[in-house]
Amino acid sequence: MQNIIAAAVNLIGAVLVVIGVVGIFKETEGEPKEKFVSVFKFFTTQSNVLYGVTAVIYAVARMQHTGELPQWICILKLIGTIGVTITLLTVFLFLWPVVFHDLAVLLKGPNLLLHLIVPLTAIVSFCLLERTTQITAAGALWGLSHFAVYAVGYMINAIRHAENGKVAPEHDWYGFLSGGMKYMPVALLAMTAGASVITYVLWAVNRAA
């Protein structure tokens, strides 16, 4: 029964991602094509789409297997779950108190799904319904892969557009470098440390479930 519930919850999560992303795209209607494409520069969009894909793969595999799933599927699901967890915590621990100061703005419209409901669905499912011993402590590091690629790309983009040690908001859309390029090492260290903690907390809770 738990396997069926896990598959169902994952499919629901994937549907919510589709609804949320479609909602984001609808907000760009009438805008230049570049605006439509730029939606994918945000970690929120990337992490949710990635989670939706991993959720479908997991659900299909879960309906076909009653025992342990292949390791690659478990790791893929960990990667997807970590991504939306980072999105959720970034919203509540950084964007809300530091950048926007208004939680309602961050949970308005489709962002309610992408910033809150989908991440919570992913976390609850991974921690309570998807227990696996297929992921070792070393293997859990794969969970950081999407974050690592995104962080490197974000910082390279910031460096390319930095002027006099500053980065314009359109090239530092999360405001991580609002204090100047000199804070890049601090930002990278803080983000990497936070993502690592998230990874191993999720991994540990999953194994203990």
Side-chain angles (χ1 to χ4, degrees):
M1 178 61 72
Q2 181 170 314
N3 289 345
I4 296 175
I5 295 174
V9 171
N10 274 275
L11 289 177
I12 291 171
V15 170
L16 293 177
V17 168
V18 172
I19 294 172
V21 172
V22 169
I24 291 292
F25 285 148
K26 283 185 175 181
E27 292 183 345
T28 68
E29 286 182 347
E31 299 284 345
K33 183 179 179 180
E34 292 75 15
K35 179 75 172 179
F36 181 89
V37 175
S38 70
V39 167
F40 282 101
K41 75 180 182 182
F42 296 107
F43 189 81
T44 292
T45 309
Q46 290 189 21
S47 65
N48 273 270
V49 170
L50 177 59
Y51 172 74
V53 172
T54 64
V56 170
I57 292 173
Y58 183 91
V60 172
R62 188 73 281 172
M63 289 185 286
Q64 295 176 340
H65 298 80
T66 55
E68 282 274 24
L69 295 179
Q71 184 184 52
W72 71 270
I73 292 179
C74 297
I75 290 177
L76 193 63
K77 190 63 200 306
L78 174 63
I79 294 171
T81 304
I82 288 169
V84 290
T85 303
I86 290 174
T87 290
L88 172 70
L89 293 180
T90 299
V91 167
F92 281 88
L93 300 182
F94 180 74
L95 296 180
W96 174 23
V98 177
V99 181
F100 290 92
H101 308 293
D102 185 357
L103 184 60
V105 172
L106 295 166
L107 299 181
K108 182 181 179 181
N111 279 330
L112 177 62
L113 292 173
L114 304 181
H115 284 165
L116 182 63
I117 296 178
V118 170
L120 288 178
T121 300
I123 293 168
V124 170
S125 180
F126 186 79
C127 291
L128 300 182
L129 302 174
E130 303 171 20
R131 184 181 186 278
T132 180
T133 59
Q134 291 285 69
I135 307 175
T136 63
L141 288 173
W142 281 106
L144 292 168
S145 55
H146 175 230
F147 159 79
V149 171
Y150 186 88
V152 170
Y154 190 98
M155 294 304 173
I156 289 176
N157 179 70
I159 291 171
R160 287 178 56 200
H161 294 93
E163 294 184 7
N164 299 318
K166 296 286 186 178
V167 184
E170 60 265 29
H171 299 295
D172 180 27
W173 45 89
Y174 284 119
F176 294 134
L177 304 173
S178 57
M181 288 294 292
K182 62 183 179 181
Y183 290 105
M184 179 178 283
V186 176
L188 272 174
L189 180 61
M191 289 189 295
T192 302
S196 299
V197 170
I198 290 169
T199 296
Y200 280 101
V201 167
L202 288 173
W203 173 75
V205 174
N206 173 274
R207 289 179 68 91

